[in-house]
Amino acid sequence: MFTPPEREELRKELIEAAHADDEVVGAALVGSAATRREDAWSDIDLVLQVRRDADPAKVASRWTAQFYDQHGAAHHLDVIAGGVLYRVFLLASSLQVDVSFWPEDEFRATESGFALLFGTPQPSTEPRNPEASHEIGMAWLYALHSRSAIARRHVWQATMMLDHLRDQLLVLACVRHGLNPHHGREADRLPASVLTVLQQARAASVAEPALVRSHTALVTALADEVALHDPRLAADLTAPLNALARVSV
């Protein structure tokens, strides 16, 4: 595994590369390094401002070649958010490096941690929390699929659907408590009363009785969570969620 000094050395090299790149006119650090909460497991998050007359995709291609040729990249993954390319690299040392390539006029802070290295950012924006109504809909959709999977004795599909349902409940609880709901970043800060319910609702095995018990407990927890977000919607969902909580096998 990588060490913090190795991570710091690579970060310095990447910052130097950004300064030396004629098509990069700005850069910033985000994530744990920007908020001074870095620990032994933290990754590198680098934001690049691409010159107005340059193609971000071509700049990303050049940087990608350098990662494979010089920094031991084993694979990479692309995530597009808000029209911006985030390229996530996995190095042979298991270090994750995220580099995003922002058009010059869109370069800005989108989260509280944004340590500007150079360049001129646009006014910052805050990430939008998930819409509770959408997350509730995804939750009951996973519950529908977990019920049918259990009934069909598709135990691994049922396990996956129950995990997704639990994740939706974590997102909804984080939104309700004003915590960061993205990727479970602040789920551990939820009140014990919330986490205990979800812990007890986990299936201890893929045996049918355990899956049935987990399904019923999670759907019940969903009904309670919906009531805390939207009492009117909770009333509309009472009948279908009551029916959905029961599994016929």
Side-chain angles (χ1 to χ4, degrees):
M1 178 178 160
F2 64 91
T3 65
E6 289 171 343
R7 179 183 60 209
E8 179 61 26
E9 181 60 30
L10 175 57
R11 182 162 45 221
K12 289 180 180 178
E13 292 179 16
L14 296 176
I15 293 171
E16 290 173 0
H19 277 288
D21 192 323
D22 291 338
E23 294 186 309
V24 173
V25 295
L29 293 175
V30 295
S32 56
T35 56
R36 298 187 178 183
R37 293 185 296 179
E38 202 169 39
D39 61 21
W41 306 97
S42 298
D43 54 15
I44 295 174
D45 292 290
L46 181 64
V47 179
L48 300 181
Q49 182 181 28
V50 178
R51 197 177 67 204
R52 190 173 292 107
D53 59 352
D55 182 353
K58 291 182 178 179
V59 176
S61 180
R62 284 196 294 100
W63 275 68
T64 299
Q66 293 172 9
F67 266 94
Y68 281 94
D69 294 342
Q70 301 174 21
H71 304 306
H75 197 221
H76 70 270
L77 166 71
D78 285 349
V79 177
I80 306 296
V84 174
L85 170 62
Y86 293 75
R87 186 153 286 176
V88 184
F89 295 92
L90 174 65
L91 306 192
S93 64
S94 77
L95 176 62
Q96 173 188 337
V97 182
D98 300 352
V99 184
S100 54
F101 301 85
W102 293 66
E104 182 172 355
D105 296 329
E106 297 180 29
F107 179 65
R108 71 188 67 221
T110 59
E111 54 187 88
S112 56
F114 184 86
L116 183 67
L117 300 170
F118 64 98
T120 305
Q122 298 295 318
S124 63
T125 58
E126 290 294 326
R128 295 178 60 186
N129 274 339
E131 292 289 339
S133 179
H134 174 78
E135 302 305 322
I136 290 168
M138 292 301 300
W140 58 249
L141 184 61
Y142 287 131
L144 282 168
H145 288 301
S146 68
R147 180 181 67 175
S148 60
I150 294 169
R152 293 167 178 153
R153 292 184 167 85
H154 296 172
V155 296
W156 288 107
Q157 182 190 15
T159 299
M160 180 179 289
M161 294 300 104
L162 289 170
D163 285 345
H164 287 329
L165 172 54
R166 186 190 65 246
D167 291 347
Q168 292 303 118
L169 289 170
L170 284 168
V171 169
L172 286 164
C174 283
V175 170
R176 181 164 55 85
H177 286 276
L179 298 173
N180 187 337
H182 301 287
H183 309 293
R185 287 174 180 164
E186 293 188 335
D188 287 273
R189 294 177 55 191
L190 284 166
S193 57
V194 174
L195 296 177
T196 298
V197 169
L198 297 180
Q199 178 184 355
Q200 293 174 346
R202 294 198 70 180
S205 73
V206 296
E208 185 178 287
L211 295 175
V212 170
R213 183 195 64 80
S214 176
H215 172 87
T216 299
L218 287 171
V219 174
T220 300
L222 173 59
D224 293 340
E225 187 67 36
V226 175
L228 295 170
H229 281 273
D230 187 338
R232 180 175 297 180
L233 178 58
D236 293 339
L237 289 176
T238 296
L241 290 182
N242 284 341
L244 186 52
R246 298 188 293 271
V247 183
S248 299
V249 293

